[in-house]
């Protein structure tokens, strides 16, 4: 049981480049989330999904897009990376209201540097 | 206004002693959930404990307990019998209403001294 996995673990991008971060969970959770963690600011929600085919904006969605084509996968895309997007990105999943399980299970994180 | 406030950037505790990490929250929704997570230096986020707004009793999980004071909007984490492995960042978080958004505090760095 792998839980929540993230690919890649590290990445360095140049300004203007694009990339996709992949999150996969094997717990059959309905809800999935993408966060960024910056020093002194805790975790901030970028986008989330309450089920396959649905996505919604979180607290800091600008500059990111997401897709949830399969229940187990949640992709985070950066179309044109900026230095301000240098951060550690965490994916999380939870059962949500349908399963009455709200605690989130997190992936190991992706450290992204944009130069 | 901040949804979650953690006012202690850093805390120290002697091994085997108890420590309380503070968390206050701000919501007008009667239904919400409160969480604590631990982040060791390795970086992963580990779920510790959950308290629902309608729960009558304070949540406990092993050495962790959540001191829930609804009227004061506080949800402090109490760690009993601290161990060296408890040294980490601790984050308080809230799920608001039936919503799917979570709000995290800025964290408290706990150091356990031998």
């Amino acid at each position: 049981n792998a839980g929540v996995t993230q690919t890649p673990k590290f990445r360095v991008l140049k300004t203007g480049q694009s990339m996709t971060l992949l999150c996969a969970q094997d717990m059959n959770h309905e809800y999935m989330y993408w966060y960024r963690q910056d020093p002194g600011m805790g975790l901030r929600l970028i986008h989330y999904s309450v089920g396959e085919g649905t996505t919604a904006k979180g607290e800091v969605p600008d500059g990111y897009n997401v897709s949830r084509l399969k229940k187990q996968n949640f992709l985070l895309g950066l179309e044109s990376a900026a230095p301000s997007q240098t951060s550690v990105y965490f994916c999380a999943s939870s059962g949500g209201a349908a399963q009455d399980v709200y605690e989130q299970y997190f992936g190991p994180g992706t450290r992204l540097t944009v130069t | 206004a901040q949804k979650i406030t953690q006012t202690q950037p850093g805390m120290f505790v002697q091994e085997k002693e108890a420590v309380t990490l503070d968390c206050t929250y701000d919501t007008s929704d009667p239904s919400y959930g409160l969480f604590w997570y631990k982040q060791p230096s390795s970086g992963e986020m580990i779920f510790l404990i959950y308290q629902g707004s309608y729960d009558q009793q304070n949540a406990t999980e092993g050495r962790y307990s959540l001191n829930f004071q609804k009227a004061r909007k506080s949800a402090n984490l109490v760690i009993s019998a601290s161990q060296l492995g408890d040294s980490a960042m601790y984050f308080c978080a809230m799920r608001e209403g039936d919503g799917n958004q979570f709000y995290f505090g800025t964290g408290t760095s706990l150091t356990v001294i031998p």
Side-chain angles (χ1 to χ4, degrees):
Chain A
N1 189 341
V4 181
T5 59
Q6 290 181 233
T7 309
K9 288 186 170 50
F10 304 93
R11 186 72 186 268
V12 178
L13 287 179
K14 293 186 178 179
T15 297
Q17 288 184 320
S18 64
M19 77 163 293
T20 300
L21 281 67
L22 171 64
C23 176
Q25 53 97 3
D26 62 3
M27 295 175 282
N28 200 35
H29 283 167
E30 289 293 335
Y31 295 6
M32 297 186 75
Y33 308 81
W34 275 108
Y35 292 91
R36 60 179 289 171
Q37 184 177 29
D38 302 297
M41 299 193 72
L43 277 76
R44 292 182 293 168
L45 183 64
I46 304 171
H47 285 281
Y48 63 95
S49 168
V50 301
E52 183 178 314
T54 71
T55 63
K57 294 180 180 179
E59 185 182 357
V60 288
D62 294 342
Y64 305 94
N65 57 74
V66 288
S67 65
R68 182 105 181 263
L69 298 180
K70 292 183 178 181
K71 185 177 182 178
Q72 63 267 33
N73 295 339
F74 195 30
L75 279 66
L76 177 71
L78 286 73
E79 291 185 343
S80 179
S84 60
Q85 293 177 305
T86 293
S87 189
V88 179
Y89 291 85
F90 284 97
C91 176
S93 72
S94 75
Q99 299 177 15
D100 197 27
V101 175
Y102 289 101
E103 60 262 31
Q104 295 181 320
Y105 294 87
F106 283 80
T110 294
R111 188 174 294 275
L112 176 66
T113 302
V114 183
T115 62
Chain B
Q2 293 288 333
K3 289 284 188 182
I4 294 288
T5 302
Q6 295 181 253
T7 58
Q8 306 155 312
M11 291 280 287
F12 293 87
V13 63
Q14 204 74 37
E15 193 178 7
K16 300 180 185 177
E17 297 292 314
V19 63
T20 298
L21 306 184
D22 295 341
C23 173
T24 57
Y25 58 93
D26 180 31
T27 182
S28 57
D29 200 306
S31 175
Y32 53 90
L34 298 157
F35 305 79
W36 278 92
Y37 287 85
K38 173 184 178 182
Q39 187 177 40
S41 58
S42 52
E44 72 267 33
M45 295 287 288
I46 302 166
F47 166 73
L48 295 178
I49 196 166
Y50 167 78
Q51 179 87 39
S53 60
Y54 296 119
D55 293 344
Q56 295 296 315
Q57 294 189 331
N58 287 345
T60 60
E61 289 286 347
R63 294 186 299 112
Y64 303 108
S65 60
L66 200 152
N67 185 359
F68 182 45
Q69 298 188 40
K70 201 168 184 175
R72 299 177 65 179
K73 293 188 176 180
S74 74
N76 298 339
L77 177 70
V78 180
I79 305 174
S80 63
S82 296
Q83 302 172 356
L84 296 177
D86 294 334
S87 293
M89 283 290 289
Y90 289 81
F91 292 96
C92 180
M94 177 176 69
R95 169 192 57 82
E96 197 171 40
D98 291 332
N100 310 299
Q101 296 218 27
F102 279 70
Y103 302 95
F104 280 78
T106 52
T108 295
S109 176
L110 177 67
T111 302
V112 180
I113 304 167

